[in-house]
């Protein structure tokens, strides 16, 4: 696409959880306007036809900083670049690495222009499929200790448990990372009942979607089914079940 004044642009685009219907109009426009699209192969493929004719820079897990660097270089060279993430790019997504790269350069805040296009994050998608679990204060905790030491994650789990936050767990369990989920359960059980509802959403708004509701006691038995395309939502002390849904009242007074 012609970019006569050579003013580069970086879009940080959230693609939403999966199905094209959950990709925002603004995300579509950003992708359409872009010369280059950077992201994980699977997510890029998710955007399908929108990408016809674009230069694609696909990446594998662990290449986030390299790809962010590449995207920033292209934008400095005057290209319009979309860096895509699933869900929201600003939630455990590519926005972090891009800002990190800009932070290491003499970025003037204008050139390249940076614009974030928010997307529906996994916890919102999961909550929608479960009912209304995120109704009071809640937090997201990633159980991945790839970039964050386990001691910090443990500290956050304890604080969330003590604070009676509803908790959305991202990156709950992978082939090489299995005990963390059970450790999270153990920490939460120190402050809440075994009957606390737990919603498990796998592949939200994607083919193969699975929604399961259990409780903290029951979580152990089905932990094997939980993987990296799963978000786990753990209720607080007021969360209840209703006809196969999981809901948290708007406030404690309604309990
Ligand atoms: N930026 C993304 C999160 C990336 S971290 C977002 O805002 O949603 C990756 C984790 O997100 C996965 O391990 C999983 O916990 C969660 N996740 C992403 N897409 C999901 C989906 N469609 N269904 C369930 N969980 C999902």
């Amino acid at each position: 696409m012609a970019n006569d004044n050579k003013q580069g642009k970086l879009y940080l685009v959230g693609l939403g959880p999966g199905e094209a219907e959950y990709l925002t109009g603004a995300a579509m426009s950003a992708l359409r306007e872009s010369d280059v699209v950077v992201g994980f192969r699977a997510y890029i493929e998710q955007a399908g036809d929108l990408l016809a004719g674009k230069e694609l820079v696909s990446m594998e897990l662990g290449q986030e900083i390299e790809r962010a660097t590449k995207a920033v270089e292209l934008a400095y060279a005057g290209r319009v670049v979309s860096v895509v993430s699933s869900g929201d790019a600003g939630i455990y997504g590519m926005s972090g690495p891009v800002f990190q790269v800009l932070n290491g350069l003499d970025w003037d805040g204008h050139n390249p222009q940076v614009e974030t296009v928010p997307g529906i994050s996994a916890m919102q998608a999961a909550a929608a499929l479960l009912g209304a679990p995120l109704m009071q204060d809640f937090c997201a905790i990633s159980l991945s200790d790839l970039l964050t030491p386990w001691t910090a994650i443990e500290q956050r789990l304890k604080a969330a448990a003590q604070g009676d936050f509803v908790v959305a767990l991202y990156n709950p369990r992978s082939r090489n990372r299995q005990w963390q989920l059970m450790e999270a359960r153990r920490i939460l059980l120190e402050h809440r009942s075994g009957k606390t509802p737990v919603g498990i959403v796998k592949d939200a708004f994607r083919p193969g979607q699975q929604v399961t509701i259990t409780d903290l006691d029951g979580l152990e038995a089905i932990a094997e089914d939980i993987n990296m395309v799963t978000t786990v939502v753990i209720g607080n002390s007021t969360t209840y079940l209703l006809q196969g849904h999981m809901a948290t009242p708007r406030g404690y007074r309604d309990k």
Side-chain angles (χ1 to χ4, degrees):
M1 200 183 287
N3 187 22
D4 298 336
N5 58 8
K6 284 283 174 196
Q7 160 82 53
K9 185 157 185 177
L10 267 173
Y11 281 112
L12 301 170
V13 182
L15 299 177
E19 280 163 15
E21 279 203 314
Y22 293 94
L23 184 79
T24 66
M28 271 189 237
S29 304
L31 292 173
R32 251 188 229 117
E33 199 194 305
S34 296
D35 308 311
V36 186
V37 177
V38 179
F40 288 122
R41 185 177 300 280
Y43 302 151
I44 291 186
E45 281 165 4
Q46 191 174 305
D49 298 347
L50 274 172
L51 302 181
K54 315 261 173 218
E55 186 181 325
L56 303 181
V57 179
S58 72
M59 56 191 257
E60 306 304 328
L61 206 69
Q63 293 184 326
E64 287 85 349
I65 289 287
E66 281 106 307
R67 287 313 182 223
T69 304
K70 174 86 180 159
V72 169
E73 278 169 10
L74 289 165
Y76 265 111
R79 316 286 299 277
V80 177
V81 184
S82 275
V83 182
V84 303
S85 289
S86 76
D88 187 295
I91 299 180
Y92 311 123
M94 281 300 291
S95 297
V98 166
F99 274 99
Q100 226 168 300
V101 169
L102 290 169
N103 190 30
L105 300 168
D106 262 342
W107 183 50
D108 66 1
H110 303 290
N111 191 11
Q113 197 187 334
V114 175
E115 186 176 326
T116 300
V117 181
I120 298 170
S121 191
M123 68 183 167
Q124 293 164 275
L129 293 166
L130 290 166
L134 306 181
M135 195 48 59
Q136 291 166 24
D137 294 340
F138 61 90
C139 63
I141 299 181
S142 165
L143 293 189
S144 170
D145 53 5
L146 218 58
L147 301 171
T148 303
W150 177 255
T151 47
I153 300 170
E154 189 179 33
Q155 183 51 42
R156 289 169 194 177
L157 286 164
K158 284 182 183 159
Q162 273 166 3
D164 202 25
F165 284 86
V166 176
V167 181
L169 296 176
Y170 282 75
N171 303 305
R173 188 173 173 277
S174 70
R175 222 175 310 136
N176 301 320
R177 195 163 41 67
Q178 308 218 332
W179 56 263
Q180 286 81 349
L181 178 62
M182 282 308 105
E183 187 57 13
R185 171 181 174 273
R186 190 191 64 71
I187 292 167
L188 286 158
L189 277 171
E190 285 179 8
H191 294 273
R192 50 193 90 165
S193 142
K195 298 283 162 258
T196 304
V198 175
I200 296 161
V201 180
K202 193 186 267 189
D203 281 317
F205 297 104
R206 287 181 192 156
Q209 169 181 299
Q210 273 179 44
V211 179
T212 310
I213 294 183
T214 179
D215 56 22
L216 276 176
D217 284 337
L219 181 59
E220 192 163 19
I222 55 171
E224 296 248 302
D225 297 336
I226 296 175
N227 61 15
M228 287 296 276
V229 291
T230 311
T231 298
V232 178
V233 180
I234 298 159
N236 75 1
S237 64
T238 68
T239 304
Y240 61 97
L241 298 179
L242 177 69
Q243 307 287 9
H245 297 277
M246 171 177 168
T248 306
R250 182 65 187 80
Y252 286 78
R253 246 184 275 162
D254 314 336
K255 197 179 171 185

